Amino acid sequence: MKSDSETTTGARARIIEAACSHIARNGLEGAKIRDIARDAEVSTALVHYHFATKADLLDAALVHAYDRAGVLRLSGTPGSRAGLTERLADLITYSLPADTGLREEWLLWMELWLHAVRDPSLRSTVESLYGKLREEFTAVVADGVRTGEFACPDPDATVTRILALLDGFGLQAMLLGTTEALTASQLAVGELIGRELGLTAPLPFRPPAGQQQ
């Protein structure tokens, strides 16, 4: 028999999972607590018990979506690739809206950008998630500099530019909503970053399994 704490933890996880879908599909204002509660198979009172505001739900949903997508970014699923240029290519691919799950994460990011501008309580989430993403890219770039695979005088500045490129080109791919736009964004980021890192060959991109637009 499950303990009360296990039951509560499971309910909270279901609420967050349902919130991811509803906020991504309808936006923060359009997401209804009663619909989230229904899909999570809990009462609306329990949703309010765990999350005082919709902003709190957005915060938790985005952290959950980021961690879910992070498995792809860090593992290079399916099948890990050990080379640094391959790892960098995979990080770029899985930081763009490359499949249905990543597109949902991007929709949540877009909601966060919109609301964090006006709601200071969300800015710590922005800083935390960008910090995690920065750590992922910095680890690969720094390893490449140490091994001589990358030529980069200022890895921190390079990673800052990588994140800005991913935001800009990823948003463009989301707005256009086509496979061609996604591929163009991926190649553009790869070309610019490869040039900055002194690479003589294009980054070895591969499409994620089950890519959907």
Side-chain angles (χ1 to χ4, degrees):
M1 183 175 180
K2 292 183 178 180
S3 67
D4 289 343
S5 62
E6 289 174 326
T7 301
T8 300
T9 300
R12 187 177 190 278
R14 293 198 306 275
I15 292 167
I16 293 172
E17 191 69 42
C20 285
S21 298
H22 281 276
I23 295 173
R25 185 165 60 248
N26 303 309
L28 190 61
E29 285 79 9
K32 305 298 183 185
I33 296 299
R34 65 175 180 272
D35 295 333
I36 293 171
R38 181 199 63 225
D39 288 358
E41 300 180 335
V42 300
S43 66
T44 56
L46 191 58
V47 177
H48 288 298
Y49 170 78
H50 284 289
F51 304 99
T53 67
K54 282 188 179 181
D56 292 337
L57 258 177
L58 174 60
D59 187 317
L62 190 47
V63 169
H64 173 71
Y66 178 91
D67 289 342
R68 184 175 58 194
V71 173
L72 293 175
R73 280 190 288 268
L74 295 176
S75 68
T77 304
S80 181
R81 302 200 293 177
L84 291 172
T85 55
E86 293 172 327
R87 285 167 55 196
L88 180 59
D90 288 342
L91 274 177
I92 291 171
T93 294
Y94 293 108
S95 296
L96 292 168
D99 61 22
T100 301
L102 293 169
R103 188 175 177 84
E104 180 177 270
E105 185 199 12
W106 263 85
L107 287 167
L108 293 172
W109 269 105
M110 291 164 71
E111 286 293 316
L112 180 64
W113 289 337
L114 175 63
H115 289 87
V117 170
R118 300 184 179 92
D119 186 350
S121 69
L122 288 170
R123 291 176 193 168
S124 61
T125 303
V126 175
E127 293 172 1
S128 174
L129 294 179
Y130 270 112
K132 291 180 180 180
L133 193 58
R134 174 177 289 277
E135 287 176 3
E136 293 174 14
F137 276 96
T138 297
V140 175
V141 172
D143 282 349
V145 171
R146 278 194 295 270
T147 62
E149 193 166 343
F150 301 152
C152 178
D154 190 344
D156 286 341
T158 293
V159 171
T160 295
R161 287 188 282 274
I162 291 174
L163 298 185
L165 286 168
L166 289 170
D167 283 349
F169 281 105
L171 180 58
Q172 184 179 80
M174 286 291 291
L175 293 173
L176 294 175
T178 65
T179 300
E180 291 77 15
L182 174 62
T183 299
S185 295
Q186 182 188 60
L187 293 176
V189 174
E191 179 184 355
L192 292 167
I193 296 309
R195 189 185 307 163
E196 181 156 341
L197 294 176
L199 301 180
T200 57
L203 283 171
F205 288 118
R206 60 178 179 179
Q211 180 170 309
Q212 298 180 39
Q213 290 296 311

